[in-house]
């Protein structure tokens, strides 16, 4: 049951993590050049001021404090001097810190926002088949946690650059004092580097796993909350909690592993500079004893080392962040690089009169969800449309459908016969694996993006409501006068209950449709379609939750307003079928027969069984009842 | 209520909006301490064995303070020793220091691992508690918050806490200890200067404590924005079909962009406030050093201390101000954590309004079931009555059909019957026991509802059906499908029961999803089966087949079916007609159909459709 037990192939770390990590950082810097430069300037100020603090204390002690103590006399001018020199350095230091921190966080959050926009654009751009292969919860985690992981490194980064400035100053001073001793001190760096290499090697796979598990936790939570009512109705709260518990515990263990690795790395990184100081001390003393160096020189170098030791840890933080940043970036990048989006042309569709739609020899198979991709895997940009194999369900096979302009065509067929798939293809929600779909003889693949929804509108079986007022749920952001909205609601027979709601058009419908019944939601969805006055209206069993009398009224209303409108309707009810000029009967993804109701009823047994099921049932029941009465 | 256009609001406006926005526990406003206390109560792992960790951390800190001391000793008494450098002394000191470092490092490692373990275990518990509680909340409460925002409660909001509980808490303790040690040493060296340091620290304490609530609000705003961000992103993902079908990508983009931008602005704003807090700590450190040097100079000139003592005291000031600065940083992190904690606690402490009586609950034996509605009325919070004066009795083993116009209150009736909601007035009883007194495990076993839009998990058909009875064997499921007459449909799927259904079952059609939902309920084998338009999207032939199979199932059981297709009513023993929230007629089909009421009209219209 748990998605944690699903065999997820986790991406393996490649050796050149540091290099790739630096490349990610560079990518970020390039996109935030200005603000990042400001942060670096701030950081440099801070670095200079930090080095200058030690110098300033030395300076005032030498020029003011010592003479005052020796002479036993203090002047207010001298005291002010002490205070002001130190305060000036402090001000520079504070300015540097403010500029560095503020600019760094702006750069970091700008990058996060930038990549969130890119990723969410991509979600909107990628085809439905891609969405089928990527759980919503994972995408949610990608848009938040992965992007955060990728760019949080920008918080410590400017400081680390400041530390490098400090090291340059300190290093130069050391070399000036004694190159040999400085060289010993510099051995710290290969040490840090080696420790970091070892760390990266262990850390990368662990972080990768943790980030994937984070996404899985979000996935289970998202799915489980969506299923909230079912879970309750079936009393499966405990099972769901167990399922969530399994991934949560995996995440916990994985994060503890990450912590263990960090737990080793941090003390090591902290110890190395201190050990360097000690080495300098020991070697320095020997050199003083052998007369190569003065004691004061060694003290100076040791002192320089001791003030550098703490900031050097900032380098460690950046290094420690690199694996996480890289993993986050890879996962984000795999979404950004995902191919398989729909191609659009430059063509346009006519705007007047009823549309003529045609699907020619189309086939479509859904991707098996087992082909689900893992974000950020080694070969991320796999095309989602895998070859058609026996394991893939062919929803539609070689179907040719003609929807003449201004006519009403009904699609009839048993549950699962491919009707919904066919309607999706007609409006180019998906592209067929083979065959072509045209509108007014224009291949839908050759028209611009956004053109098809302008002309054709779908009312799906399952209504989706936005967390918005009724008005916006109907207009979907288009600027329409309220009369037009009411008119559409009237046609959909939704005006009654909407006007009874406390805020009428301003009543907010929650994401889950709030307190509206299924039928009410369907009627709002119908109004949403009607208000757009499409040239082709596709109703995919869009009145299944509406009761018969109202359905009749709606369809009647549609009929009145549908001059210049072509209607393709998926239907079971006789009343709906009666509206159609022509009926196409589907079974198992193929067109079995088509014609008028009378023709089909006469010659197609499947069709007859389907549409007469209720009548026959009623007749049988009546007969049984009559028998019982007789006996 | 959440609105479509969300301009970046100023602070005052923001708080107003937050307070009245539709989110669970949105008005929850615990103080920092209360939040911490409640947080630790919910995650006892965080403090379990903490004293050992604290001891080790103190040890590690002593080691860290010791090293500069040894270096200083080595310099003063070794290199600068009278009569030339004392190599042996330096080497000894260096070796001691190196040993201390290794030891300290090891202690630090143990501390780190213990902290990580405690933090992650505690947070996992918190996630799980929050997750479970969200499921325990009533359907109504759940629906006040968007899915994405709910997910944030158990993911990002909890993650926000981790930084603080990993290091913050313990660093605060260690810093306090370091401040104490430094204070004692300072007093020993110079009580006057120690007094000066403490006078300097007062403005900082005042400033920081004033600043905390502001910081808390800023971080709180970030959490709200994260929730909104995830809500918007989730909408754009889950609504993919509608968005594409209506070509409203542009509008959706704008909404998501607005949420992204609002989050960015809130995050930067919080960050700037934390920088102000940090810099005031830094200012304290610098100003204190300067003032100590000034006062110290006066004292030393007055011969009340030596120059050496003054310089040594400066070292101590550093030892004191360093942890103070660290503490300001930790307080930032604390407010961030508290902001996340508040949101998680807000959910956990929202009372479950439709709650399990638990151990005190009545457990009813399986068998034929009687249902009674006694003067039941229901209204949604702040809304009109949708159901009133309902008095009904469903006898055991009868088949009941509930009919009525869309929005007449049929689904509400079903939800009251299955205790997805509790009535505003009156009682619903099964076998004479108030539903509110029946233990959930007993209730859910006896009563199962199939909703109109059955939810499917991203798993195989087999696993989805097994959801109805987790202990069912594969053969049971296959048998159920055969009994329901669904083999023909199954054989059309290349992988049969092994077919993966995709997210929310999106690889199947709405009708197919309903078939799965019914199979699930069939497998669950309840005493009372409630079908809410459960076959509305299924083709008539299949529906008739299923209905027959369910009749087999419901023979010996009670069943309540809500339906528009009046074929269901024709087949029922009793028809209940609901109109505008009232029960207007109850009786068998053949009686009602000729009675000339609402039902007569409905049926006439239905028949006309069938034979038109």
């Amino acid at each position: 049951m748990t998605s944690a037990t699903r065999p997820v192939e986790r991406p393996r770390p490649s050796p050149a993590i540091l290099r790739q990590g630096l490349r990610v950082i560079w990518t970020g810097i390039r996109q935030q050049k200005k603000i990042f430069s400001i942060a670096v300037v701030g950081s440099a100020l801070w670095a200079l001021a930090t080095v200058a603090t030690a110098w300033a204390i030395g300076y005032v002690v030498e020029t003011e404090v010592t003479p005052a103590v020796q002479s036993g006399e203090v002047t207010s001018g001298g005291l002010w001097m002490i205070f002001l020199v130190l305060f000036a350095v402090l001000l520079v230091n504070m300015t540097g810190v403010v500029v560095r921190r503020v600019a760094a966080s702006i750069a970091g959050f700008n990058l996060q926002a930038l990549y969130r926009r890119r990723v969410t654009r991509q979600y909107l751009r990628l085809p439905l088949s891609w969405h089928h292969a990527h759980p919503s919860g994972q995408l949610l985690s990608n848009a938040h946690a992965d992007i955060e992981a990728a760019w949080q490194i920008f918080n410590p980064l400017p400081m680390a650059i400041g530390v490098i400035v400090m090291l340059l100053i300190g290093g130069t001073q050391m070399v000036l004092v004694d190159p040999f001793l400085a060289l010993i001190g510099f051995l710290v760096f290969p040490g840090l580097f080696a420790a970091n290499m070892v760390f990266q090697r262990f850390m990368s796979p662990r972080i990768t796993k943790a980030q994937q598990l984070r996404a899985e936790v979000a996935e289970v939570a998202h799915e489980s909350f969506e299923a909230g009512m079912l879970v309750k109705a079936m009393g499966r709260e405990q099972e769901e909690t167990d399922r969530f518990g399994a991934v949560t515990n995996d995440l916990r263990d994985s994060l503890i592993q990450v912590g263990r690795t960090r737990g080793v790395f941090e003390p090591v990184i902290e110890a190395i500079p201190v050990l360097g100081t000690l080495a300098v001390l020991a070697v320095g003393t020997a050199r003083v004893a052998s007369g190569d160096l003065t004691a004061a020189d060694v003290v100076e170098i040791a002192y320089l080392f001791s003030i550098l030791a703490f900031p050097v840890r900032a380098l460690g933080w950046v290094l420690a962040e690199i694996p996480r940043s890289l993993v986050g970036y890879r996962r984000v990048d795999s979404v950004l690089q995902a191919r398989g989006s729909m191609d659009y042309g430059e063509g346009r569709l006519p705007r007047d009169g009823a549309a003529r739609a045609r699907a020619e020899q189309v086939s479509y198979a859904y991707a098996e969800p087992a082909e689900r991709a893992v974000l950020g895997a080694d070969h991320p940009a796999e095309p989602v449309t895998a070859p058609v194999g026996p394991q893939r369900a062919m929803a539609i096979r070689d179907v040719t459908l003609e929807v003449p302009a201004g006519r009403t065509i009904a699609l009839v067929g048993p549950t699962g016969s491919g009707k919904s798939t066919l309607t999706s293809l007609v409006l180019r929600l998906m592209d067929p694996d083979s065959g072509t779909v045209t509108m007014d003889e224009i291949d839908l693949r050759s028209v611009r993006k956004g053109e098809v929804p302008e002309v054709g509108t779908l009312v799906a079986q399952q209504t989706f409501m936005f967390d918005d007022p009724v008005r916006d749920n109907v207009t979907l952001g288009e600027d329409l006068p309220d009369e037009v909205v009411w008119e559409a609601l009237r046609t959909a027979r939704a005006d009654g209950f909407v006007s009874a709601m406390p805020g009428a058009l301003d009543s907010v419908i929650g994401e889950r449709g709030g307190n509206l019944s299924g039928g009410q939601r369907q009627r709002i969805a119908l109004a949403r379609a009607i208000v757009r006055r499409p040239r082709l209206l596709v109703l995919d069993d869009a009145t299944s939750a509406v009761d018969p009398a109202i359905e009749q009224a709606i369809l009647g209303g549609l009929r009145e307003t549908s001059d210049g409108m072509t209607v393709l309707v998926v239907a079971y009810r006789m009343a709906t079928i009666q509206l159609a000029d022509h009926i196409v009967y589907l079974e198992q993804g193929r067109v079995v027969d088509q014609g008028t109701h009378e023709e089909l009823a006469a010659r197609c047994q499947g069709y007859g069984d389907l549409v007469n099921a209720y009548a026959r049932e009623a007749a049988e029941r009546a007969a049984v009842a009559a028998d019982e009465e007789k006996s | 209520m959440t609105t479509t256009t969300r301009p970046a609001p100023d602070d005052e406006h923001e708080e107003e909006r937050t307070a009245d926005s539709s989110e669970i526990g949105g008005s929850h406003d615990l103080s920092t301490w209360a939040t911490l206390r409640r947080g630790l109560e919910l995650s006892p792992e965080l403090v379990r064995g903490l004293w050992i960790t604290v001891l080790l951390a103190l040890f590690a800190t002593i080691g860290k303070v010791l090293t500069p001391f040894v270096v200083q000793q080595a310099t003063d008494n070794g290199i600068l020793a009278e009569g030339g450098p004392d190599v042996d002394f330096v080497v000894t000191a260096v070796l001691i220091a190196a040993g201390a470092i290794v030891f300290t490092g090891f202690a630090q490692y143990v501390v780190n691992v213990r902290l990580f373990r405690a933090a992650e275990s505690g947070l996992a518990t918190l996630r799980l508690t929050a997750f479970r509680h969200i499921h325990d909340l009533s359907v109504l409460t759940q629906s006040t918050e968007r899915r994405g925002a709910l997910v944030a409660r158990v993911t990002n909001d909890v993650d926000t806490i981790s930084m603080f509980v990993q290091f913050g808490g313990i660093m605060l303790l260690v810093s306090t200890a370091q401040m104490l040690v430094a204070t004692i040493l300072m007093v020993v060296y110079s009580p006057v200067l120690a007094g000066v340091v403490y006078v300097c620290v007062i403005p900082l304490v005042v400033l920081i404590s004033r600043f905390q609530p502001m910081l808390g609000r800023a971080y709180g705003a970030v959490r709200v924005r994260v929730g909104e961000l995830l809500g918007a992103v989730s909408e754009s993902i889950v609504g993919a079909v509608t968005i594409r079908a209506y070509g409203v990508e542009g509008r959706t983009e704008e909404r998501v962009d607005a949420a992204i931008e609002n989050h960015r602005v809130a995050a930067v704003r919080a960050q700037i406030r934390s920088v102000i807090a940090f810099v005031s700590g830094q200012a304290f450190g610098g100003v204190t050093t300067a003032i100590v040097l000034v006062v110290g100079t006066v004292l030393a000139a007055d011969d009340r201390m030596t120059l050496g003592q003054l310089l040594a005291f400066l070292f101590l000031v550093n030892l004191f101000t360093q942890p103070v600065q660290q503490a300001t940083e930790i307080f930032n992190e604390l407010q961030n954590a508290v902001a996340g904690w508040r949101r998680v606690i807000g959910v956990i402490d929202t009372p479950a309004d439709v709650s399990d009586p638990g151990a005190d609950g009545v457990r009813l034996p399986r068998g034929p079931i009687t249902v009674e509605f006694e003067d039941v009325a229901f209204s949604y919070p702040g809304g009109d009555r949708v159901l009133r004066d309902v008095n009904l009795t469903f006898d055991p083993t009868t088949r009941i059909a509930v009919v009525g116009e869309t929005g007449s209150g049929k689904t509400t009736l079903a939800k009251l019957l299955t205790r997805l909601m509790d009535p505003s007035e009156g009682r619903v009883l099964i076998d004479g026991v108030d539903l509110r007194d029946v233990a959930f495990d007993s209730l859910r076993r006896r009563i199962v509802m199939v909703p109109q839009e059955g939810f499917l998990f991203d798993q195989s058909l087999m696993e989805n059906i097994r959801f109805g009875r987790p202990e069912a064997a594969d053969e049971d499921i296959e048998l159920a499908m055969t009994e329901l007459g669904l083999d023909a449909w199954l054989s059309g799927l290349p992988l049969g029961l092994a077919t993966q259904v995709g997210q929310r079952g999106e690889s199947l059609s709405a009708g197919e999803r309903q078939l799965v939902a019914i199979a699930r309920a069939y497998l669950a084998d309840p005493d009372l089966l409630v079908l809410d338009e459960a076959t509305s999207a299924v083709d008539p032939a299949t529906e008739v087949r299923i209905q027959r199979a369910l009749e087999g199932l419901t023979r010996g059981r009670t069943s309540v079916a809500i339906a528009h297709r009046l074929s269901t009513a024709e087949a029922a023993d009793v028809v209940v007609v609901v109109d505008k929230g009232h029960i207007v007629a109850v009786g068998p089909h053949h009686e009602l159909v000729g009675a000339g009421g609402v039902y007569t009209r409905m049926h006439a219209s239905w028949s006309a459709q069938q034979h038109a």
Side-chain angles (χ1 to χ4, degrees), chain A residues 6-30:
Chain A
R6 189 198 304 140
V8 176
E9 211 188 300
R10 296 201 167 87
R12 278 180 300 277
S14 58
I17 296 152
L18 184 62
R19 209 181 57 230
Q20 291 175 19
L22 292 176
R23 201 178 301 148
V24 171
I25 292 175
W26 181 238
T27 308
I29 292 175
R30 265 203 330 245

Side-chain angles (χ1 to χ4, degrees), chain A residues 188-529:
Chain A
V188 162
F189 293 102
L192 282 176
F193 188 73
N196 185 56
M197 286 307 282
V198 175
F199 168 70
Q200 307 275 1
R201 186 134 313 158
F202 280 98
M203 198 62 163
S204 279
R206 291 180 179 176
I207 289 270
T208 305
K209 186 175 167 191
Q211 222 40 29
Q212 174 63 25
L213 282 166
R214 234 182 244 293
E216 283 174 25
V217 167
E219 176 191 339
V220 175
H222 196 274
E223 187 179 56
S224 192
F225 294 155
E226 260 192 289
M229 181 148 115
L230 171 70
V231 171
K232 217 173 261 303
M234 292 262 173
R236 292 282 174 275
E237 290 91 344
Q238 192 51 50
E239 285 79 358
E240 281 300 288
T241 308
D242 293 345
R243 184 162 84 104
F244 183 74
V247 265
T248 300
N249 289 341
D250 281 354
L251 175 64
R252 177 197 63 199
D253 295 344
S254 156
L255 287 174
I256 290 174
Q257 279 300 316
V258 168
R260 199 182 283 279
T261 317
R262 263 195 115 118
V264 179
F265 178 63
E266 277 175 7
V268 169
I269 283 285
E270 277 181 38
I272 289 174
V274 184
L275 290 174
T277 314
L278 295 178
V280 167
L281 266 185
V283 176
T285 313
R287 275 173 73 80
V288 172
S290 67
D292 292 330
L293 213 59
T294 68
D297 291 341
V298 181
V299 174
E300 189 176 348
I301 289 188
Y303 177 70
L304 280 171
F305 250 102
S306 67
I307 50 169
L308 292 181
F310 178 74
V312 163
R313 295 201 304 184
L315 276 183
W317 294 332
V318 167
L319 293 175
E321 272 291 306
I322 282 182
R324 187 162 161 254
S325 163
L326 179 60
V327 167
Y329 185 79
R330 272 192 196 157
R331 292 172 62 88
V332 172
D333 198 48
S334 75
V335 172
L336 295 181
Q337 299 301 326
R339 279 170 289 171
S341 69
M342 284 186 159
D343 295 323
Y344 294 94
E346 282 302 313
R348 288 175 172 268
L349 293 169
R351 286 291 190 277
D352 298 316
R356 174 182 173 214
R358 187 177 159 79
E360 187 151 340
Q361 293 286 308
V362 292
S363 297
Y364 187 84
Y366 285 96
E368 266 297 316
E371 293 164 15
R372 203 172 359 217
V374 170
L375 295 176
D378 262 351
H379 308 288
E382 299 236 342
V384 188
T385 44
V388 177
Q391 76 282 11
R392 301 212 319 149
M394 284 282 267
I396 284 288
R397 299 172 227 220
D398 299 327
V399 169
T400 297
L401 174 75
E402 173 78 43
V403 189
R407 309 294 290 280
T408 298
I409 305 295
L411 279 180
V412 180
T415 301
S417 55
K419 304 180 296 294
S420 297
T421 308
L422 191 53
T423 59
S424 301
L425 293 176
V426 167
L427 288 177
R428 208 185 174 212
L429 287 176
M430 319 180 291
D431 278 328
D433 296 335
S434 62
T436 51
V437 181
T438 62
M439 201 179 286
D440 298 322
E441 265 111 271
I442 300 166
D443 190 328
L444 291 186
R445 274 178 277 219
S446 72
V447 302
R448 326 175 287 152
K449 188 171 173 32
E451 193 73 1
V452 177
E454 286 283 313
V455 171
T457 297
L458 169 81
V459 187
Q461 273 168 316
Q462 208 149 9
T463 52
F464 182 83
M465 292 285 129
F466 293 91
D467 189 16
D468 277 334
V470 173
R471 180 187 295 104
D472 293 33
N473 261 297
V474 174
T475 63
L476 294 184
E478 245 177 89
D479 198 13
L480 295 172
D482 281 2
E483 303 89 74
V484 177
V485 176
W486 279 116
E487 180 59 41
L489 288 170
R490 202 156 18 244
T491 308
R493 294 300 182 273
D495 51 334
F497 71 86
V498 170
S499 59
M501 287 161 82
L505 287 184
D506 293 315
S507 323
V508 174
I509 303 175
E511 190 181 51
R512 278 157 255 208
N515 303 333
L516 297 181
S517 74
Q520 288 171 329
R521 268 178 288 164
Q522 279 194 340
R523 283 186 267 165
I524 289 181
L526 273 168
R528 182 189 284 168

Side-chain angles (χ1 to χ4, degrees), chain A residues 101 110 126 134 144 223-224 232 236 238 372 415 462 468 512 545 547 574 614 617 620-621, chain B residues 132 135 137 145 244 255 264 329 405-406 458 467-468 503 513 539 543 548 564-565 609:
Chain A
R101 286 205 167 197
N110 278 354
L126 286 166
H134 295 83
H144 195 265
E223 187 179 56
S224 192
K232 217 173 261 303
R236 292 282 174 275
Q238 192 51 50
R372 203 172 359 217
T415 301
Q462 208 149 9
D468 277 334
R512 278 157 255 208
D547 32 38
M574 195 62 100
Y614 295 139
E617 171 77 357
E620 278 174 30
R621 276 185 201 281
Chain B
R132 172 64 203 230
H135 272 304
L137 291 171
E145 189 160 295
R244 279 163 182 72
R255 289 157 69 110
R264 190 191 69 87
E329 191 86 314
E405 275 189 23
T406 313
D458 187 5
F467 193 80
Q503 288 199 64
R513 288 197 287 269
D539 74 72
E543 188 187 15
R548 294 232 164 139
H564 290 132
R565 297 183 183 177
Q609 282 194 20

